[in-house]
Structure formats: structure tokens, C-alpha cells
Amino acid sequence: MSDDLLSLVREDLRGFGGYSSARSHALDGEIWLNANESPWANPADPGSSCRRYPDPQPAALVQALARLYGCEASQVLVGRGSDEAIDLLVRALCVPQRDAVVATPPVFGMYAVSARLQNAPLREVPLVDGPDGFIVDLEAVAAAAEQGNAKLVFLCSPSNPTGGDVPLEGIAALAGRLAGRALVVVDEAYGEFSDQPSATTLMGGHRNIAVLRTLSKAHALAAARIGTLIADPSLIRVLRACQAPYPIPTPCAELAVAGLSPEALARTAERVAVVRSERTRLAAALASAPGVRRVYPSSGNYLLVRFDDAQAAFDGLLAAGVVVRDQRAAPQLGDALRITVGTPEQNQRVLAILAALEAAA
């Protein structure tokens, strides 16, 4: 690992080897008696696919993800959703009560949760609500990281729940300013729905940039829990030592590899195009709907919407069988709901329900 990155890892973990499991070494044999597994398959597993412990980082899946995200396999860490990677980063880099985490609320809550669990100070830099939507104050983020002894800066792009992208040039400038001081982590869980290129394109010039991706959104594999961290290979090795021995169940890995076949990717691309088109249509229709105060521009598969009466809108949708995300407990969002872009039919139903609520008011 380069010295600047090594300095970001907790001192006590820089030479940490982690747990060496029975699948940690490349061994080959006919009879496997090294992991205390059952010699028989479970009756519910006639194919005997689950009798053995899985590869900690399934090679076929790692290669498929590297192709998908345009990076090297050595830059890939696969985990149980992006949540695991967030937790690993905080645990590996932040000394409790000393090294801080920077986040930009209102934003995905796991950054704050992981910081709290590690007893790492949380430095919050609120998003700025302007005429073009919520934006990240990158100068304030940099100052908070420098003055607050931060080791990690989390940027969500597109940001959840507000929908805005963080400009690549801003990410690059921030990473340059914080080189040797902090890792800039760009969470691109919704990147497939955005026009902006991935922040992985910046990593060649900024080794303190890492990128989070997931198969839970555009790829429709939320229950398989496949998240990816793309980072400098030496940082990946450190995090692998901190990761639980067998993070990816074999059925999940096999499903994910099948879900990344050329045929599946082509279908996914078609569906992403539909979501993007529907996002535009739904945003325009909501913006002109009675009772709606504001619809924020979004690069994700969701829209953040302010209502005159968010409680009535939430209750009315729920009573009609439509569940949306209540954002009113989040800072600056006391009148807002987040609505996922569904199928054209589902989106039309949302509009019809809201129109009926207003007519009955």
C-alpha cells in the first residue's frame, strides 16, 4: 500500500492478517476433510450446492463485477450489500473517539449508523437546498474533514433521498485536497440511472477515492445482498482481513453471476431506460399536481416530493395500497415523501390516487 493510504488505516490493523479460513488457501483434492463439513448433503439440497463453505470472494462473481464496473479484479471487494463495505471502512480506518466520519444529511443513514457503532465522531455538513435542488457544499465538506480529524468522507451520488449528483470535478478536487488525510467514498448505489460517469474514472489520479456499487437497485437483486467496493488493491487487502470469513453465500453468488450475463444485462439496460423515461414523466405530472409544493430533480430511480400535507398524501397512498418512503424525520425534509419510480402502470396509479385525494379534500 502506498504510504498515504497506509496512514489512513488504523495503526493496530496495518499488519493484521485476519482469520485464515479453510477456503483461504488454494488447495485441490478429491476428498475434502479440512473444514469439518458434513460429508452428506442436506435433504433439502439435492444438488449438494450448499454443503461446502463458499469461496470468500467468489472468483466468477469478482470477475463479472470487474467487467461490469470497468476495473481490475484486484480493486473489487464483494460484501453483503454496500452496508457491509461501509461498516468495514469505518472499522478499519477510524480509531474510536478519535477519527471522524463526514456525511452530508439528508442522506443514506448507514454512514451515521456505522460511525455510531464504531464510536467515531460524526461531522455532518448539511446539503444546501437551492434552485437546482439539493447540492453538496464541497468546500464545507473539506473544511469539516480537515478541522474535524476525519478519516472518511461519504458522498452519495446520486444522493439518496434528494437525487442530485456530486460533480466529478468537485470529487477530484476534494480528494486532492484530502490526500493523505482522508478517504473519499462515493456511494453510487443509483449510478446506473445517472448521466454522470462513475467516480471510478478518477481513481487513477486519486488513490484516496473509493466507490460503492450494488446489485440491489438497477439489477433487481436486492435480496441477494451483493455490494461492491472498488478501491486501491492494497486497501482491498486490508478490508479483506477485517471481513467475516464467508460473506457471500453460494446461491447468492451463482444468482448474481447469472444476473450479469450478457442477456440479463441487456434486459436490465432496457428497464433502466424505462425508469429514466418514467422518472421524467412522473416528475412533470407531480410538479403540476395540486397539493405538491416541489419535485426535486433526480438522477436516481426515485423522486423527492414536498407536499402541502405530506401526512395526508402518505396516508392516502397507503390506504390505496401504495407504500412510499416518509422522509419527514430527516433534516430539512419535514414535508417530503420519496417516491420510487415504478412501472408505468404503478406510476399512473400514484398520480390517480393523489388526484383523487385532492378532489376529495
Side-chain angles (χ1 to χ4, degrees), residues 9-33:
V9 176
R10 279 170 41 190
E11 295 91 335
D12 57 318
L13 292 181
R14 290 174 190 171
F16 181 55
Y19 174 71
S20 181
S21 72
R23 293 293 177 266
S24 297
H25 307 286
L27 302 174
D28 195 15
E30 182 181 351
I31 300 174
W32 289 71
L33 302 177

Side-chain angles (χ1 to χ4, degrees), residues 38 43 49 57 66 138 173 205-206 216 270 285 299 303-304 306 337 347 351 356:
S38 171
S49 62
Q57 292 287 288
L138 289 170
H206 300 278
S216 295
E270 293 171 358
S299 293
L303 294 168
L304 182 69
R306 294 193 188 274
L337 306 177
N347 301 330
L351 294 171

